[in-house]
Amino acid sequence: MSTFSQAGTFLFQSLGGFYLAVVMLRFLLQLSRADFYNPISQFLIKATHLPSKPLRRIFPAYRSFDLASLVLALLVQLLVIEMTALINGYAMVNVLYALAWGAVGILSLALNFYLYGLLIIIIVSWVAPQSQHPALVLLSQLIRPVMAPFQRIIPPLGGLDLSPIFMFLVINMLQIFLNGIAKGIQLPSGIVPGI
């Protein structure tokens, strides 16, 4: 791999991965019914409005499930995978493989959002429990619906909430299964953002 292809791969993977994260955050925040008027929500909506507008005509939202954003995330994955292959001098990747790899990358990215989001929420609850920063409020709104079933099963014990431990266990188990699927579909390393 030449220096130019390495630099091009890095640049395209970085920009594509960032935009993929923006699209996925919009999907997840809409799914969790987060605050629409939060400045970060407004940024996410404005950053994804133009490319998702034609997709919304074909894939309308159902309640809080925004299928157009999910399709846009898959298209971003497809574009990044194909461009990474072209930059490195390979032939176009089979579209079915690229879509399967992209779907695994999207699921992995969503699991990572929840894993690291939960870590941030836990650390902030110890360090600055009264913080009202827009990013923390939005992160809390993203984590709360996923955390609710764990909190119903394991209620707080004397002010100590053990439910995050079980959420970590479930996320890690899902990541193990996802890694098995990635090996099964022969997903190459370094080509799919989100993994």
Side-chain angles (χ1 to χ4, degrees), residues 75-149:
L75 290 174
V76 169
Q77 280 282 39
L78 186 65
L79 178 68
V80 171
I81 290 168
E82 296 293 356
M83 288 303 295
T84 302
L86 287 175
I87 288 170
N88 290 299
Y90 299 116
M92 295 278 290
V93 177
N94 182 331
V95 174
L96 295 178
Y97 274 121
L99 287 174
W101 296 346
V104 169
I106 287 170
L107 290 173
S108 178
L109 184 62
L111 288 175
N112 285 333
F113 277 143
Y114 286 112
L115 180 72
Y116 294 117
L118 184 60
L119 277 172
I120 291 169
I121 291 294
I122 290 170
I123 291 168
V124 167
S125 72
W126 291 338
V127 176
Q130 303 300 324
S131 178
Q132 292 299 313
H133 189 277
L136 295 175
V137 170
L138 212 54
L139 193 57
S140 176
Q141 291 172 351
L142 176 68
I143 300 293
R144 193 177 312 125
V146 177
M147 190 72 147

